[in-house]
Amino acid sequence: MEPWVIVVIVASIVIVAAIVWLSYERSRSQRLRTRFGPEYDRAVREFGSRRRAEMQLARRESRARELRDRHLNPADRDRFLEQWKLCQAQFVDDPAGALERAEQLLDDVMRTRGFSSGNPLDRMTDIAAAYPEHAGRYREACQIAAQQRTGETSTEELRRAFLHYRTLFDDLIGGYHEELRRVS
């Protein structure tokens, strides 16, 4: 075979491989951007590069699959649901206390399901990966809860944070949204 033919074949293989790789990278970026929404952009800013952010998001996504596959046993789910109903009833007389209790209850549910619970950043990372649609609202609720501790929140803000916690709670325990609405 002529040397120039070998060069053309090798060059063609390299070009095809580069096109396949670029196509894969582009589709991976698009998939991660779609999956994580605003969290994708936050990760890019946090890690300083798209490539490092996407590597981290892919790791989070893998861990999230494991977490989402761990379901609560029926006894735990019923116990948490009953505690949430009490927490919602408490909101009428003590919104700040109910919000604090809701935060603790979410932490208990997440710990039981295997989420990181000790470090707020790790917990936020797990939520962003497993439930990206809740990440922004959960972050907002945590900020309101922190402001509440310094006395800088209105009852309406506490209510909004409580509702954000409730929607995440619903997904974490396995979808009792309608039952939660009926008791609230």
Side-chain angles (χ1 to χ4, degrees):
M1 199 178 307
E2 296 287 326
W4 66 270
V5 173
I6 294 173
V7 169
V8 168
I9 291 172
V10 169
S12 298
I13 291 171
V14 168
I15 290 171
V16 168
I19 290 170
V20 168
W21 182 77
L22 287 172
S23 175
Y24 169 77
E25 286 290 311
R26 183 171 290 146
S27 68
R28 176 180 166 196
S29 294
Q30 184 59 39
R31 182 182 55 77
L32 289 170
R33 184 181 298 274
T34 300
R35 170 136 172 75
F36 285 96
E39 289 300 314
Y40 177 91
D41 295 327
R42 185 181 304 277
V44 171
R45 283 191 308 273
E46 178 184 330
F47 290 100
S49 83
R50 182 187 58 80
R51 180 178 214 98
R52 287 197 322 231
E54 287 182 357
M55 286 174 42
Q56 183 63 29
L57 290 172
R59 274 191 233 117
R60 290 178 188 177
E61 191 175 41
S62 175
R63 176 164 162 67
R65 274 192 295 278
E66 293 173 22
L67 292 172
R68 287 188 78 126
D69 288 344
R70 290 185 199 160
H71 298 288
L72 292 172
N73 67 47
D76 284 338
R77 188 175 29 253
D78 291 344
R79 178 174 51 90
F80 288 135
L81 185 58
E82 194 58 40
Q83 289 176 9
W84 188 265
K85 289 175 186 176
L86 295 172
C87 189
Q88 284 187 155
Q90 178 186 1
F91 192 86
V92 173
D93 296 323
D94 181 15
L99 184 64
E100 187 175 318
R101 179 64 192 122
E103 194 172 28
Q104 292 169 350
L105 186 55
L106 275 174
D107 189 55
D108 292 346
V109 172
M110 286 187 269
R111 190 176 323 106
T112 302
R113 293 259 328 261
F115 286 76
S116 300
S117 63
N119 180 337
L121 181 60
D122 290 341
R123 182 176 41 225
M124 185 65 233
T125 299
D126 282 351
I127 289 169
Y131 301 99
E133 67 279 7
H134 293 298
R137 291 186 303 268
Y138 179 74
R139 184 175 277 112
E140 178 188 3
C142 289
Q143 288 171 345
I144 291 170
Q147 290 170 349
Q148 179 275 324
R149 291 182 190 99
T150 62
E152 302 175 14
T153 56
S154 67
T155 302
E156 178 56 28
E157 289 171 315
L158 295 174
R159 186 188 73 76
R160 191 171 64 243
F162 195 86
L163 291 174
H164 292 334
Y165 282 162
R166 184 177 81 178
T167 58
L168 176 60
F169 175 83
D170 178 49
D171 279 352
L172 284 168
I173 66 164
Y176 284 86
H177 192 65
E178 286 306 312
E179 187 172 342
L180 288 173
R181 278 201 174 148
R182 278 182 259 145
V183 298
S184 58

